[in-house]
Amino acid sequence: MTWKAAIDGQQCMASGMCAGIAPDLFVLDGPYARPLHEEIPEEESALDAADSCPAMAILIREGETVVGPRP
């Protein structure tokens, strides 16, 4: 099974935390970060990146359920 990753470009401040934590999943692309692919593997590093984002710009979903960031 896979998750879907999205980054809100209006919230992203390009801190690079996501790319540093999960470089196989996220990349800095100009003034914002973006997922390398819309669908990503279910990896703890994806949740760690979403949890660590200082702007809370990363959203990880499994179907309609939000799995990251974790509360």
Short mmCIF file of all heavy atoms in Angstrom, two decimals:
data_model
loop_
_atom_site.label_atom_id
_atom_site.label_comp_id
_atom_site.label_asym_id
_atom_site.label_seq_id
_atom_site.Cartn_x
_atom_site.Cartn_y
_atom_site.Cartn_z
N MET A 1 0.84 -1.18 0.00
CA MET A 1 0.00 0.00 0.00
C MET A 1 0.90 1.25 0.00
O MET A 1 2.02 1.21 0.46
CB MET A 1 -0.91 -0.01 1.23
CG MET A 1 -1.78 1.21 1.27
SD MET A 1 -3.35 1.07 2.11
CE MET A 1 -4.21 -0.10 1.10
N THR A 2 0.35 2.32 -0.53
CA THR A 2 1.10 3.58 -0.58
C THR A 2 0.31 4.70 0.08
O THR A 2 -0.90 4.61 0.26
CB THR A 2 1.41 3.99 -2.03
OG1 THR A 2 0.19 4.13 -2.74
CG2 THR A 2 2.31 2.98 -2.72
N TRP A 3 1.04 5.74 0.42
CA TRP A 3 0.44 6.96 0.95
C TRP A 3 0.51 8.01 -0.13
O TRP A 3 1.26 7.88 -1.10
CB TRP A 3 1.21 7.45 2.16
CG TRP A 3 1.05 6.61 3.40
CD1 TRP A 3 0.03 5.78 3.70
CD2 TRP A 3 1.96 6.55 4.50
NE1 TRP A 3 0.24 5.21 4.93
CE2 TRP A 3 1.42 5.67 5.44
CE3 TRP A 3 3.17 7.16 4.78
CZ2 TRP A 3 2.04 5.39 6.65
CZ3 TRP A 3 3.80 6.88 5.98
CH2 TRP A 3 3.23 6.00 6.91
N LYS A 4 -0.23 9.09 0.05
CA LYS A 4 -0.14 10.25 -0.84
C LYS A 4 0.45 11.40 -0.04
O LYS A 4 0.03 11.66 1.09
CB LYS A 4 -1.50 10.62 -1.40
CG LYS A 4 -2.00 9.57 -2.36
CD LYS A 4 -3.11 10.08 -3.21
CE LYS A 4 -3.50 8.95 -4.15
NZ LYS A 4 -4.05 9.39 -5.37
N ALA A 5 1.42 12.07 -0.62
CA ALA A 5 2.08 13.20 0.04
C ALA A 5 1.78 14.48 -0.71
O ALA A 5 1.77 14.50 -1.95
CB ALA A 5 3.59 12.98 0.08
N ALA A 6 1.54 15.54 0.03
CA ALA A 6 1.32 16.86 -0.56
C ALA A 6 1.97 17.91 0.33
O ALA A 6 2.04 17.74 1.55
CB ALA A 6 -0.17 17.14 -0.70
N ILE A 7 2.47 18.95 -0.31
CA ILE A 7 3.04 20.08 0.43
C ILE A 7 2.28 21.33 0.01
O ILE A 7 2.15 21.62 -1.18
CB ILE A 7 4.54 20.24 0.15
CG1 ILE A 7 5.30 19.02 0.68
CG2 ILE A 7 5.07 21.53 0.79
CD1 ILE A 7 6.78 19.04 0.47
N ASP A 8 1.78 22.05 1.00
CA ASP A 8 1.06 23.29 0.75
C ASP A 8 2.09 24.39 0.46
O ASP A 8 2.82 24.82 1.35
CB ASP A 8 0.22 23.65 1.97
CG ASP A 8 -0.63 24.90 1.77
OD1 ASP A 8 -0.26 25.77 0.95
OD2 ASP A 8 -1.65 25.01 2.46
N GLY A 9 2.16 24.82 -0.80
CA GLY A 9 3.12 25.83 -1.21
C GLY A 9 2.94 27.17 -0.53
O GLY A 9 3.88 27.94 -0.42
N GLN A 10 1.73 27.45 -0.05
CA GLN A 10 1.50 28.72 0.64
C GLN A 10 2.03 28.67 2.07
O GLN A 10 2.32 29.71 2.64
CB GLN A 10 0.02 29.05 0.63
CG GLN A 10 -0.50 29.22 -0.78
CD GLN A 10 -1.48 30.34 -0.90
OE1 GLN A 10 -2.16 30.67 0.05
NE2 GLN A 10 -1.54 30.93 -2.05
N GLN A 11 2.14 27.48 2.63
CA GLN A 11 2.66 27.34 3.99
C GLN A 11 4.16 27.04 4.01
O GLN A 11 4.83 27.41 4.96
CB GLN A 11 1.92 26.22 4.73
CG GLN A 11 0.53 26.58 5.16
CD GLN A 11 -0.08 25.44 5.95
OE1 GLN A 11 -0.79 24.62 5.40
NE2 GLN A 11 0.21 25.41 7.23
N CYS A 12 4.66 26.36 3.00
CA CYS A 12 6.06 25.92 2.97
C CYS A 12 7.00 27.11 3.04
O CYS A 12 6.85 28.10 2.33
CB CYS A 12 6.32 25.12 1.69
SG CYS A 12 8.02 24.52 1.56
N MET A 13 7.99 26.99 3.93
CA MET A 13 9.00 28.04 4.06
C MET A 13 10.38 27.56 3.61
O MET A 13 11.37 28.21 3.86
CB MET A 13 9.04 28.56 5.50
CG MET A 13 9.27 27.49 6.54
SD MET A 13 9.03 28.04 8.23
CE MET A 13 10.66 28.63 8.62
N ALA A 14 10.43 26.40 2.96
CA ALA A 14 11.66 25.83 2.40
C ALA A 14 12.78 25.70 3.43
O ALA A 14 13.92 26.00 3.15
CB ALA A 14 12.11 26.63 1.19
N SER A 15 12.43 25.20 4.61
CA SER A 15 13.44 24.99 5.64
C SER A 15 14.39 23.85 5.28
O SER A 15 15.50 23.79 5.76
CB SER A 15 12.79 24.70 7.00
OG SER A 15 12.24 23.39 7.00
N GLY A 16 13.91 22.93 4.45
CA GLY A 16 14.73 21.79 4.06
C GLY A 16 14.67 20.62 5.03
O GLY A 16 15.34 19.61 4.81
N MET A 17 13.87 20.73 6.08
CA MET A 17 13.78 19.64 7.06
C MET A 17 13.30 18.35 6.39
O MET A 17 13.87 17.29 6.63
CB MET A 17 12.81 20.01 8.19
CG MET A 17 13.30 21.12 9.09
SD MET A 17 14.67 20.62 10.14
CE MET A 17 13.87 19.45 11.20
N CYS A 18 12.29 18.44 5.54
CA CYS A 18 11.75 17.23 4.91
C CYS A 18 12.79 16.57 4.01
O CYS A 18 12.97 15.35 4.06
CB CYS A 18 10.48 17.55 4.13
SG CYS A 18 10.66 18.79 2.83
N ALA A 19 13.49 17.36 3.23
CA ALA A 19 14.51 16.81 2.33
C ALA A 19 15.68 16.24 3.13
O ALA A 19 16.30 15.27 2.69
CB ALA A 19 14.99 17.88 1.36
N GLY A 20 15.98 16.82 4.27
CA GLY A 20 17.05 16.31 5.11
C GLY A 20 16.69 15.01 5.79
O GLY A 20 17.52 14.10 5.92
N ILE A 21 15.43 14.90 6.22
CA ILE A 21 14.97 13.70 6.93
C ILE A 21 14.67 12.56 5.96
O ILE A 21 14.96 11.40 6.23
CB ILE A 21 13.71 14.03 7.77
CG1 ILE A 21 14.12 14.94 8.94
CG2 ILE A 21 13.02 12.77 8.27
CD1 ILE A 21 12.96 15.53 9.70
N ALA A 22 14.06 12.90 4.82
CA ALA A 22 13.65 11.87 3.85
C ALA A 22 14.01 12.30 2.44
O ALA A 22 13.15 12.61 1.62
CB ALA A 22 12.14 11.63 3.97
N PRO A 23 15.33 12.30 2.11
CA PRO A 23 15.75 12.77 0.79
C PRO A 23 15.27 11.88 -0.36
O PRO A 23 15.25 12.33 -1.50
CB PRO A 23 17.28 12.76 0.89
CG PRO A 23 17.59 11.80 1.98
CD PRO A 23 16.44 11.89 2.94
N ASP A 24 14.85 10.68 -0.05
CA ASP A 24 14.30 9.80 -1.09
C ASP A 24 12.82 10.09 -1.36
O ASP A 24 12.24 9.58 -2.32
CB ASP A 24 14.49 8.33 -0.70
CG ASP A 24 13.87 7.99 0.64
OD1 ASP A 24 13.90 8.84 1.57
OD2 ASP A 24 13.35 6.87 0.79
N LEU A 25 12.21 10.96 -0.52
CA LEU A 25 10.79 11.27 -0.66
C LEU A 25 10.50 12.74 -0.98
O LEU A 25 9.51 13.04 -1.63
CB LEU A 25 10.04 10.91 0.63
CG LEU A 25 10.15 9.46 1.09
CD1 LEU A 25 9.46 9.28 2.43
CD2 LEU A 25 9.57 8.52 0.04
N PHE A 26 11.37 13.66 -0.49
CA PHE A 26 11.14 15.09 -0.64
C PHE A 26 12.39 15.79 -1.16
O PHE A 26 13.50 15.36 -0.89
CB PHE A 26 10.73 15.73 0.70
CG PHE A 26 9.49 15.14 1.28
CD1 PHE A 26 9.55 14.16 2.25
CD2 PHE A 26 8.24 15.57 0.86
CE1 PHE A 26 8.40 13.61 2.80
CE2 PHE A 26 7.08 15.02 1.39
CZ PHE A 26 7.16 14.04 2.37
N VAL A 27 12.17 16.91 -1.87
CA VAL A 27 13.28 17.68 -2.42
C VAL A 27 12.93 19.16 -2.34
O VAL A 27 11.76 19.53 -2.44
CB VAL A 27 13.58 17.25 -3.88
CG1 VAL A 27 12.42 17.57 -4.80
CG2 VAL A 27 14.85 17.86 -4.39
N LEU A 28 13.95 20.01 -2.15
CA LEU A 28 13.74 21.45 -2.28
C LEU A 28 13.76 21.77 -3.76
O LEU A 28 14.66 21.37 -4.48
CB LEU A 28 14.84 22.22 -1.55
CG LEU A 28 14.74 22.22 -0.03
CD1 LEU A 28 15.94 22.96 0.57
CD2 LEU A 28 13.46 22.84 0.44
N ASP A 29 12.77 22.51 -4.21
CA ASP A 29 12.63 22.83 -5.62
C ASP A 29 12.33 24.32 -5.73
O ASP A 29 11.17 24.73 -5.63
CB ASP A 29 11.51 21.99 -6.23
CG ASP A 29 11.45 22.11 -7.74
OD1 ASP A 29 12.40 22.60 -8.35
OD2 ASP A 29 10.43 21.67 -8.31
N GLY A 30 13.37 25.13 -5.86
CA GLY A 30 13.18 26.58 -5.86
C GLY A 30 12.82 27.06 -4.47
O GLY A 30 13.42 26.62 -3.49
N PRO A 31 11.80 27.89 -4.37
CA PRO A 31 11.47 28.46 -3.06
C PRO A 31 10.64 27.54 -2.17
O PRO A 31 10.29 27.92 -1.05
CB PRO A 31 10.68 29.72 -3.41
CG PRO A 31 10.04 29.38 -4.71
CD PRO A 31 11.03 28.50 -5.44
N TYR A 32 10.29 26.34 -2.65
CA TYR A 32 9.45 25.42 -1.89
C TYR A 32 9.97 24.00 -1.98
O TYR A 32 10.70 23.66 -2.89
CB TYR A 32 8.00 25.44 -2.41
CG TYR A 32 7.42 26.82 -2.47
CD1 TYR A 32 7.25 27.48 -3.68
CD2 TYR A 32 7.06 27.48 -1.30
CE1 TYR A 32 6.74 28.76 -3.73
CE2 TYR A 32 6.55 28.76 -1.34
CZ TYR A 32 6.39 29.40 -2.55
OH TYR A 32 5.89 30.67 -2.59
N ALA A 33 9.53 23.20 -1.04
CA ALA A 33 9.81 21.77 -1.10
C ALA A 33 8.66 21.10 -1.85
O ALA A 33 7.57 21.66 -1.98
CB ALA A 33 9.93 21.20 0.31
N ARG A 34 8.92 19.90 -2.32
CA ARG A 34 7.87 19.11 -2.97
C ARG A 34 8.19 17.64 -2.80
O ARG A 34 9.36 17.26 -2.65
CB ARG A 34 7.74 19.46 -4.46
CG ARG A 34 8.92 19.07 -5.28
CD ARG A 34 8.66 19.28 -6.78
NE ARG A 34 9.85 19.01 -7.55
CZ ARG A 34 10.24 17.80 -7.93
NH1 ARG A 34 9.54 16.74 -7.60
NH2 ARG A 34 11.35 17.64 -8.63
N PRO A 35 7.15 16.80 -2.81
CA PRO A 35 7.42 15.36 -2.81
C PRO A 35 7.97 14.96 -4.17
O PRO A 35 7.62 15.54 -5.19
CB PRO A 35 6.04 14.74 -2.56
CG PRO A 35 5.04 15.80 -2.82
CD PRO A 35 5.74 17.12 -2.76
N LEU A 36 8.87 13.99 -4.18
CA LEU A 36 9.40 13.49 -5.44
C LEU A 36 8.32 12.81 -6.27
O LEU A 36 8.35 12.83 -7.49
CB LEU A 36 10.56 12.53 -5.19
CG LEU A 36 11.84 13.19 -4.68
CD1 LEU A 36 12.85 12.14 -4.24
CD2 LEU A 36 12.43 14.09 -5.75
N HIS A 37 7.35 12.19 -5.57
CA HIS A 37 6.23 11.51 -6.22
C HIS A 37 4.98 11.77 -5.38
O HIS A 37 5.08 11.90 -4.16
CB HIS A 37 6.47 10.01 -6.31
CG HIS A 37 7.76 9.67 -6.98
ND1 HIS A 37 7.95 9.72 -8.35
CD2 HIS A 37 8.96 9.30 -6.47
CE1 HIS A 37 9.18 9.39 -8.63
NE2 HIS A 37 9.83 9.13 -7.51
N GLU A 38 3.82 11.82 -6.03
CA GLU A 38 2.58 12.01 -5.28
C GLU A 38 2.32 10.82 -4.36
O GLU A 38 1.91 10.98 -3.21
CB GLU A 38 1.40 12.20 -6.23
CG GLU A 38 0.09 12.43 -5.50
CD GLU A 38 -1.10 12.54 -6.43
OE1 GLU A 38 -0.92 12.64 -7.65
OE2 GLU A 38 -2.23 12.50 -5.92
N GLU A 39 2.55 9.62 -4.88
CA GLU A 39 2.39 8.42 -4.06
C GLU A 39 3.75 8.02 -3.52
O GLU A 39 4.74 7.97 -4.26
CB GLU A 39 1.78 7.29 -4.88
CG GLU A 39 0.34 7.57 -5.25
CD GLU A 39 -0.34 6.38 -5.88
OE1 GLU A 39 0.31 5.33 -6.11
OE2 GLU A 39 -1.54 6.49 -6.16
N ILE A 40 3.79 7.76 -2.22
CA ILE A 40 5.04 7.41 -1.55
C ILE A 40 4.85 6.12 -0.77
O ILE A 40 3.73 5.78 -0.40
CB ILE A 40 5.52 8.55 -0.62
CG1 ILE A 40 4.50 8.82 0.49
CG2 ILE A 40 5.81 9.81 -1.41
CD1 ILE A 40 4.97 9.79 1.56
N PRO A 41 5.94 5.41 -0.51
CA PRO A 41 5.82 4.19 0.30
C PRO A 41 5.50 4.55 1.75
O PRO A 41 5.81 5.64 2.22
CB PRO A 41 7.20 3.53 0.18
CG PRO A 41 8.12 4.59 -0.31
CD PRO A 41 7.30 5.63 -0.99
N GLU A 42 4.86 3.62 2.42
CA GLU A 42 4.55 3.81 3.84
C GLU A 42 5.85 3.68 4.63
O GLU A 42 6.25 2.58 4.99
CB GLU A 42 3.53 2.79 4.31
CG GLU A 42 2.17 2.98 3.71
CD GLU A 42 1.15 2.00 4.24
OE1 GLU A 42 1.37 1.39 5.30
OE2 GLU A 42 0.13 1.82 3.57
N GLU A 43 6.50 4.80 4.87
CA GLU A 43 7.77 4.81 5.59
C GLU A 43 7.70 5.76 6.78
O GLU A 43 7.13 6.84 6.67
CB GLU A 43 8.90 5.29 4.67
CG GLU A 43 9.23 4.35 3.55
CD GLU A 43 10.40 4.83 2.70
OE1 GLU A 43 11.10 5.77 3.11
OE2 GLU A 43 10.60 4.25 1.63
N GLU A 44 8.30 5.35 7.84
CA GLU A 44 8.36 6.18 9.05
C GLU A 44 9.01 7.53 8.75
O GLU A 44 8.62 8.55 9.32
CB GLU A 44 9.13 5.44 10.15
CG GLU A 44 9.11 6.13 11.49
CD GLU A 44 7.75 6.12 12.18
OE1 GLU A 44 6.91 5.25 11.87
OE2 GLU A 44 7.55 6.98 13.04
N SER A 45 9.96 7.55 7.83
CA SER A 45 10.64 8.82 7.51
C SER A 45 9.67 9.85 6.92
O SER A 45 9.85 11.05 7.13
CB SER A 45 11.82 8.59 6.56
OG SER A 45 11.38 8.06 5.32
N ALA A 46 8.63 9.41 6.22
CA ALA A 46 7.63 10.35 5.69
C ALA A 46 6.87 11.01 6.84
O ALA A 46 6.64 12.23 6.83
CB ALA A 46 6.66 9.62 4.77
N LEU A 47 6.50 10.22 7.83
CA LEU A 47 5.82 10.77 9.00
C LEU A 47 6.74 11.67 9.81
O LEU A 47 6.32 12.72 10.30
CB LEU A 47 5.26 9.65 9.87
CG LEU A 47 4.21 8.76 9.20
CD1 LEU A 47 3.79 7.64 10.14
CD2 LEU A 47 3.02 9.57 8.74
N ASP A 48 8.01 11.27 9.93
CA ASP A 48 8.98 12.11 10.64
C ASP A 48 9.13 13.46 9.94
O ASP A 48 9.21 14.50 10.60
CB ASP A 48 10.34 11.41 10.73
CG ASP A 48 10.33 10.20 11.64
OD1 ASP A 48 9.40 10.06 12.46
OD2 ASP A 48 11.26 9.37 11.52
N ALA A 49 9.16 13.46 8.61
CA ALA A 49 9.28 14.71 7.86
C ALA A 49 8.06 15.59 8.09
O ALA A 49 8.19 16.79 8.32
CB ALA A 49 9.47 14.41 6.37
N ALA A 50 6.87 15.00 8.03
CA ALA A 50 5.64 15.77 8.25
C ALA A 50 5.60 16.32 9.67
O ALA A 50 5.22 17.48 9.89
CB ALA A 50 4.41 14.90 7.99
N ASP A 51 6.01 15.51 10.64
CA ASP A 51 6.03 15.96 12.04
C ASP A 51 7.04 17.07 12.28
O ASP A 51 6.84 17.93 13.13
CB ASP A 51 6.36 14.79 12.97
CG ASP A 51 5.27 13.73 13.02
OD1 ASP A 51 4.13 14.00 12.59
OD2 ASP A 51 5.58 12.60 13.48
N SER A 52 8.15 17.04 11.55
CA SER A 52 9.25 17.98 11.78
C SER A 52 9.12 19.29 11.00
O SER A 52 9.86 20.23 11.26
CB SER A 52 10.58 17.33 11.41
OG SER A 52 10.80 16.20 12.22
N CYS A 53 8.20 19.36 10.06
CA CYS A 53 8.05 20.56 9.24
C CYS A 53 7.67 21.75 10.12
O CYS A 53 6.62 21.73 10.77
CB CYS A 53 6.99 20.33 8.17
SG CYS A 53 6.67 21.80 7.16
N PRO A 54 8.52 22.79 10.18
CA PRO A 54 8.21 23.93 11.05
C PRO A 54 6.98 24.70 10.61
O PRO A 54 6.35 25.38 11.43
CB PRO A 54 9.47 24.80 10.99
CG PRO A 54 10.19 24.37 9.76
CD PRO A 54 9.79 22.95 9.49
N ALA A 55 6.59 24.59 9.34
CA ALA A 55 5.42 25.30 8.83
C ALA A 55 4.18 24.40 8.79
O ALA A 55 3.11 24.86 8.41
CB ALA A 55 5.71 25.85 7.44
N MET A 56 4.34 23.12 9.17
CA MET A 56 3.25 22.15 9.11
C MET A 56 2.63 22.12 7.72
O MET A 56 1.41 22.07 7.55
CB MET A 56 2.20 22.45 10.18
CG MET A 56 2.74 22.41 11.60
SD MET A 56 3.46 20.82 12.07
CE MET A 56 1.99 19.84 12.24
N ALA A 57 3.47 22.16 6.69
CA ALA A 57 3.02 22.25 5.30
C ALA A 57 2.84 20.89 4.64
O ALA A 57 2.28 20.81 3.56
CB ALA A 57 4.00 23.08 4.49
N ILE A 58 3.31 19.81 5.28
CA ILE A 58 3.26 18.48 4.68
C ILE A 58 2.02 17.73 5.17
O ILE A 58 1.75 17.70 6.37
CB ILE A 58 4.51 17.67 5.03
CG1 ILE A 58 5.75 18.41 4.54
CG2 ILE A 58 4.44 16.27 4.44
CD1 ILE A 58 7.05 17.80 5.00
N LEU A 59 1.32 17.12 4.24
CA LEU A 59 0.15 16.31 4.57
C LEU A 59 0.35 14.93 3.95
O LEU A 59 0.61 14.81 2.74
CB LEU A 59 -1.11 16.95 4.01
CG LEU A 59 -2.43 16.34 4.45
CD1 LEU A 59 -2.63 16.49 5.95
CD2 LEU A 59 -3.57 17.01 3.70
N ILE A 60 0.25 13.90 4.78
CA ILE A 60 0.38 12.52 4.34
C ILE A 60 -0.98 11.86 4.56
O ILE A 60 -1.53 11.91 5.65
CB ILE A 60 1.46 11.75 5.14
CG1 ILE A 60 2.78 12.50 5.19
CG2 ILE A 60 1.61 10.33 4.60
CD1 ILE A 60 3.51 12.61 3.88
N ARG A 61 -1.52 11.25 3.49
CA ARG A 61 -2.84 10.60 3.57
C ARG A 61 -2.75 9.13 3.16
O ARG A 61 -1.97 8.76 2.30
CB ARG A 61 -3.83 11.27 2.62
CG ARG A 61 -4.22 12.64 3.01
CD ARG A 61 -5.29 13.16 2.04
NE ARG A 61 -5.70 14.48 2.36
CZ ARG A 61 -6.72 14.79 3.15
NH1 ARG A 61 -7.44 13.85 3.69
NH2 ARG A 61 -7.03 16.04 3.39
N GLU A 62 -3.60 8.36 3.79
CA GLU A 62 -3.87 6.97 3.38
C GLU A 62 -5.34 6.95 3.01
O GLU A 62 -6.19 6.99 3.89
CB GLU A 62 -3.56 5.99 4.50
CG GLU A 62 -3.78 4.55 4.10
CD GLU A 62 -3.35 3.59 5.19
OE1 GLU A 62 -3.29 3.97 6.37
OE2 GLU A 62 -3.10 2.44 4.84
N GLY A 63 -5.62 6.99 1.72
CA GLY A 63 -7.00 7.16 1.27
C GLY A 63 -7.48 8.54 1.70
O GLY A 63 -6.84 9.55 1.43
N GLU A 64 -8.57 8.59 2.43
CA GLU A 64 -9.09 9.86 2.94
C GLU A 64 -8.61 10.19 4.35
O GLU A 64 -8.87 11.26 4.87
CB GLU A 64 -10.63 9.85 2.91
CG GLU A 64 -11.21 9.77 1.53
CD GLU A 64 -10.81 10.96 0.65
OE1 GLU A 64 -10.88 12.10 1.14
OE2 GLU A 64 -10.41 10.72 -0.51
N THR A 65 -7.88 9.26 4.95
CA THR A 65 -7.42 9.42 6.32
C THR A 65 -6.06 10.12 6.36
O THR A 65 -5.13 9.70 5.68
CB THR A 65 -7.29 8.05 7.01
OG1 THR A 65 -8.55 7.38 6.95
CG2 THR A 65 -6.85 8.19 8.46
N VAL A 66 -5.96 11.17 7.17
CA VAL A 66 -4.68 11.86 7.36
C VAL A 66 -3.87 11.06 8.36
O VAL A 66 -4.32 10.80 9.48
CB VAL A 66 -4.90 13.30 7.86
CG1 VAL A 66 -3.58 13.96 8.20
CG2 VAL A 66 -5.66 14.12 6.83
N VAL A 67 -2.65 10.65 7.94
CA VAL A 67 -1.77 9.90 8.85
C VAL A 67 -0.59 10.76 9.31
O VAL A 67 0.12 10.39 10.24
CB VAL A 67 -1.29 8.58 8.22
CG1 VAL A 67 -2.45 7.64 8.01
CG2 VAL A 67 -0.55 8.81 6.91
N GLY A 68 -0.34 11.86 8.66
CA GLY A 68 0.74 12.74 9.07
C GLY A 68 0.44 14.17 8.64
O GLY A 68 -0.16 14.38 7.60
N PRO A 69 0.82 15.13 9.45
CA PRO A 69 1.56 14.96 10.69
C PRO A 69 0.71 14.30 11.78
O PRO A 69 -0.50 14.39 11.78
CB PRO A 69 1.95 16.38 11.08
CG PRO A 69 1.00 17.28 10.37
CD PRO A 69 0.54 16.53 9.15
N ARG A 70 1.43 13.66 12.67
CA ARG A 70 0.76 12.97 13.78
C ARG A 70 0.40 13.99 14.86
O ARG A 70 1.14 14.94 15.07
CB ARG A 70 1.66 11.89 14.36
CG ARG A 70 1.94 10.77 13.36
CD ARG A 70 2.98 9.83 13.83
NE ARG A 70 4.31 10.37 13.53
CZ ARG A 70 5.40 9.65 13.39
NH1 ARG A 70 5.35 8.35 13.54
NH2 ARG A 70 6.55 10.22 13.12
N PRO A 71 -0.74 13.79 15.51
CA PRO A 71 -1.15 14.72 16.58
C PRO A 71 -0.24 14.66 17.78
O PRO A 71 0.44 13.74 18.02
CB PRO A 71 -2.56 14.29 16.95
CG PRO A 71 -2.83 13.00 16.26
CD PRO A 71 -1.72 12.75 15.29
#
